[in-house]
Amino acid sequence: NMNEYSDEAWYHLGLLNQKDGAFKTAVENYERALKINPAHILAKYNIAVIESEFENYDNAIKLCYELEEMRNNFDKGHILKGFCYEKLNNKKAAIESYKAALEINPQALLAKEGLMRLK
């Protein structure tokens, strides 16, 4: 029996939906988690990931900027933003995002790979 007042419960339900490919339901459950806890950074991040998977890059980028406002040292948000800018052929912004991720986490492999692609 799920605690409907728990942001973590909705977040984990969203994760299960996302793994099963039920993306619309996943987003709804992540949004429920965010209603309970607006600071739930992983719920917002996963919505951004789903947006990028459906090539809604502008929406994903907007969410990544919101992630930065929540916590500026969240390297995954910078990496995702870089990936979306890369897909939109905005090399300069992509490089800046990947570099920002590496400043936070010098081991961030996806950021290193992104920079290699853009050279």
Side-chain angles (χ1 to χ4, degrees):
N1 204 1
M2 192 180 107
N3 177 358
E4 65 188 275
Y5 302 105
S6 164
D7 59 326
E8 283 302 306
W10 287 113
Y11 168 73
H12 286 289
L13 191 58
L15 271 183
L16 291 172
N17 301 140
Q18 190 172 353
K19 283 191 182 105
D20 290 342
F23 298 109
K24 188 174 181 290
T25 308
V27 168
E28 288 168 2
N29 287 322
Y30 292 141
E31 285 172 348
R32 285 188 179 116
L34 284 162
K35 266 202 188 87
I36 296 165
N37 175 11
H40 201 303
I41 199 159
L42 292 176
K44 186 167 293 243
Y45 171 72
N46 284 358
I47 294 171
V49 168
I50 290 170
E51 289 284 2
S52 75
E53 284 177 7
F54 285 93
E55 299 182 6
N56 298 326
Y57 299 122
D58 291 320
N59 274 357
I61 288 166
K62 186 174 97 41
L63 290 166
C64 288
Y65 279 109
E66 290 174 18
L67 289 169
E68 282 174 42
E69 284 171 25
M70 291 166 83
R71 197 170 92 210
N72 194 37
N73 67 341
F74 185 63
D75 59 322
K76 286 181 173 179
H78 290 285
I79 292 169
L80 182 60
K81 189 172 59 162
F83 172 79
C84 292
Y85 276 129
E86 196 178 330
K87 290 293 187 187
L88 293 171
N89 292 314
N90 186 339
K91 266 179 91 163
K92 186 175 177 287
I95 288 168
E96 281 174 17
S97 297
Y98 288 138
K99 283 184 174 170
L102 287 167
E103 277 176 32
I104 296 161
N105 175 10
Q107 309 306 314
L109 187 63
L110 291 174
K112 288 179 187 175
E113 289 172 355
L115 287 174
M116 293 294 286
R117 280 194 303 273
L118 292 165
K119 278 199 167 119

